[in-house]
Amino acid sequence: MTNTDRMNFGPVDSSKVPRFAGPATFARLPRLDQVPRADVAVVGVPFDTGVSYRPGARFGPAAVREASRLLRPYHPGLDVSPFERFQVADAGDIAVNPFDIGAAIETIEGAAGELDAKLVTIGGDHTIALPLLRSAARKHGPVALVHFDAHLDTWDTYFGAEYTHGTPFRRAAEEGILDTEALSHVGIRGSLYGKRDLEEDRRLGFGIVTAADVLRRGLDEVIDLLRQRVGDRPLYLSVDIDVLDPAHAPGTGTPEAGGLTSRELLEILRGLAGLNLIGADVVEVAPAYDHAEITSIAASHVAYDLVSLLALQEKT
């Protein structure tokens, strides 16, 4: 595949090698060690020590890669061929300590900083968003955040632990790595511990678009709201797959009824095209609770849209 000034290495040709054959890299892309450089890297973080309910997201990266075999090189919804425009490669997994959350966070932050590319990260539980945001903020300063999730993930502690999959954005706000004028949750729903959860979240600077808001206000209004809030700031997107209703994503650690459809999520993501996206993740795929790859298929399409959004950025 050609680029304006160099050749990019694209996916394996499915007309020559069947999709079900060969190693399951993301979208059958080349590995990072098979290309001279990468503009965008897809990297896995098989870590779920921070979960509070169902474990199993450590197997998420492998499941999403397997489900991504059917992805094709042209994205008609965004009118972009991401693997032609940019060199995209699979950077493999960041191997982290499964017994020590603090050590794992340090490893993820260090490894993300060493990858000289824009990252789309596949988790793993949502704990991993904190070190990824730290790495992004070192390069770009405090970043805007659009967080897709059923849950706020701004709680203070669980069982006295400050670093879990329910606390990453509380820690990130406290550390000053988020732009508090441009923080949004999308898809929030379900029961809470108390009204104070919402009050504390608001004090951190977050605005909330609930799952019911998406239904009642419509996609165009939600997209416009998010775009206005982000503006031209450097933007990080974090997608917990449980933002989807369990009908669309049963394979996740803390499912909540009443969520988005996969169509709604993908359309909102596509509506953010043209913003200053600098990195993204999709997390909390727990394949042991999945059926017929429903969740991992949805997550693979989310990751593909995230890669495609990055491919629309100007080259740096």
Side-chain angles (χ1 to χ4, degrees), residues 103-125:
I105 288 173
E106 289 182 8
T107 299
I108 296 165
E109 182 180 355
E114 291 173 3
L115 287 167
D116 186 21
K118 292 184 177 180
L119 300 185
V120 172
T121 306
I122 304 171
D125 75 53

Side-chain angles (χ1 to χ4, degrees), residues 18-304:
R19 297 184 184 280
F20 45 80
T25 58
F26 182 78
R28 309 183 83 204
L29 286 162
R31 301 190 314 268
L32 188 60
D33 61 2
Q34 294 176 313
V35 297
R37 43 94 204 138
D39 302 298
V40 177
V42 180
V43 61
V45 183
F47 173 84
D48 64 3
T49 308
V51 300
S52 58
Y53 193 52
R54 294 172 172 174
R58 65 184 61 186
F59 301 108
V64 173
R65 286 187 175 104
E66 187 66 33
S68 74
R69 288 177 178 272
L70 198 57
L71 294 172
R72 300 175 181 88
Y74 173 65
H75 192 312
L78 291 171
D79 188 25
V80 65
S81 297
F83 313 138
E84 179 177 349
R85 178 167 168 74
F86 278 3
Q87 178 63 67
V88 187
D90 190 319
D93 288 340
I94 298 173
V96 295
N97 188 328
F99 303 109
D100 187 327
I101 293 178
I105 288 173
E106 289 182 8
T107 299
I108 296 165
E109 182 180 355
E114 291 173 3
L115 287 167
D116 186 21
K118 292 184 177 180
L119 300 185
V120 172
T121 306
I122 304 171
D125 75 53
H126 225 152
T127 311
I128 73 172
L130 176 61
L132 294 170
L133 284 167
R134 286 176 177 172
S135 178
R138 269 204 312 275
K139 299 176 184 177
H140 302 279
V143 298
L145 172 70
V146 178
H147 166 224
F148 295 85
D149 205 321
H151 312 97
L152 300 170
D153 289 1
T154 53
W155 286 281
D156 192 11
T157 63
Y158 279 113
F159 294 89
E162 296 182 343
Y163 299 96
T164 76
H165 75 158
T167 66
F169 304 118
R170 176 73 159 253
R171 300 287 89 83
E174 291 171 346
E175 293 177 14
I177 59 179
L178 298 180
D179 186 330
T180 56
E181 297 297 316
L183 306 178
S184 300
H185 302 297
V186 181
I188 302 300
R189 62 190 188 277
S191 54
L192 297 169
Y193 296 105
K195 191 172 183 178
R196 181 181 175 184
D197 293 344
L198 296 171
E199 294 168 349
E200 291 185 356
D201 187 79
R202 192 177 301 112
R203 281 198 293 270
L204 294 172
F206 280 91
I208 296 176
V209 178
T210 67
D213 289 333
V214 174
L215 172 65
R216 295 181 180 280
R217 300 174 70 174
L219 296 180
D220 290 342
E221 184 176 339
V222 168
I223 290 167
D224 186 59
L225 176 67
L226 295 173
R227 294 184 68 93
Q228 289 185 38
R229 193 166 178 86
V230 172
D232 60 359
R233 299 172 175 88
L235 170 65
Y236 189 93
L237 295 177
S238 187
V239 183
D240 186 325
I241 204 63
D242 75 21
V243 71
L244 299 179
D245 189 87
H248 298 268
T252 192
T254 45
E256 303 278 358
L260 276 60
T261 67
S262 53
R263 179 174 58 242
E264 288 170 334
L265 174 57
L266 293 172
E267 286 303 313
I268 293 172
L269 289 174
R270 293 166 191 174
L272 303 180
L275 297 182
N276 183 20
L277 183 63
I278 51 88
D281 63 56
V282 55
V283 299
E284 299 283 356
V285 174
Y289 309 101
D290 209 0
H291 172 71
E293 296 184 312
I294 293 173
T295 311
S296 51
I297 288 170
S300 72
H301 282 262
V302 168
Y304 179 60

Side-chain angles (χ1 to χ4, degrees), residues 1-37:
M1 294 183 178
T2 60
N3 194 10
T4 55
D5 57 353
R6 59 195 178 194
M7 297 291 292
N8 287 334
F9 297 88
V12 173
D13 187 344
S14 61
S15 69
K16 298 179 181 178
V17 181
R19 297 184 184 280
F20 45 80
T25 58
F26 182 78
R28 309 183 83 204
L29 286 162
R31 301 190 314 268
L32 188 60
D33 61 2
Q34 294 176 313
V35 297
R37 43 94 204 138

